[in-house]
Amino acid sequence: MRCRQATRIISDSHERSLTLQEKGGLRLHLAICSHCRNFKQNCDELSQLMKAFANNSRK
Ligand SMILES: [Zn+2]
C-alpha cells in the first residue's frame, strides 16, 4: 500500500466503515510509515473536534 492509498483510507474511515482488507492493509502501512501515523492522528483529532463541535451546537 502506498501513502496516497493509506491517507485515502484514513479519511474514508471517518465516513464509512472499512473492509477487513483495508483495515489490514492500513495497519501494516501504519506500522512502517510514521508520516501516515501522524496523518491518522491529526485526522482522528480533527474528527473528534468536529464531533465535539457538532454536539455542542446541538445543545
Ligand atoms: Zn505512508
Side-chain angles (χ1 to χ4, degrees), residues 3-38:
C3 289
R4 187 185 288 193
Q5 287 173 288
T7 52
R8 166 69 57 82
I9 289 175
I10 290 166
S11 305
D12 280 2
S13 72
H14 295 293
E15 286 156 22
R16 62 176 176 88
S17 32
L18 303 177
T19 65
L20 282 179
Q21 205 175 11
E22 286 171 331
K23 282 183 193 169
L26 183 61
R27 190 177 302 176
L28 274 178
H29 185 85
L30 291 178
I32 58 162
C33 182
S34 61
H35 170 77
C36 289
R37 276 201 301 273
N38 287 335

Side-chain angles (χ1 to χ4, degrees), residues 28-53:
L28 274 178
H29 185 85
L30 291 178
I32 58 162
C33 182
S34 61
H35 170 77
C36 289
R37 276 201 301 273
N38 287 335
F39 177 81
K40 182 178 186 300
Q41 193 172 4
N42 287 340
C43 271
D44 289 349
E45 283 171 10
L46 191 65
S47 167
Q48 283 177 359
L49 280 177
M50 296 291 276
K51 273 182 199 163
F53 181 75

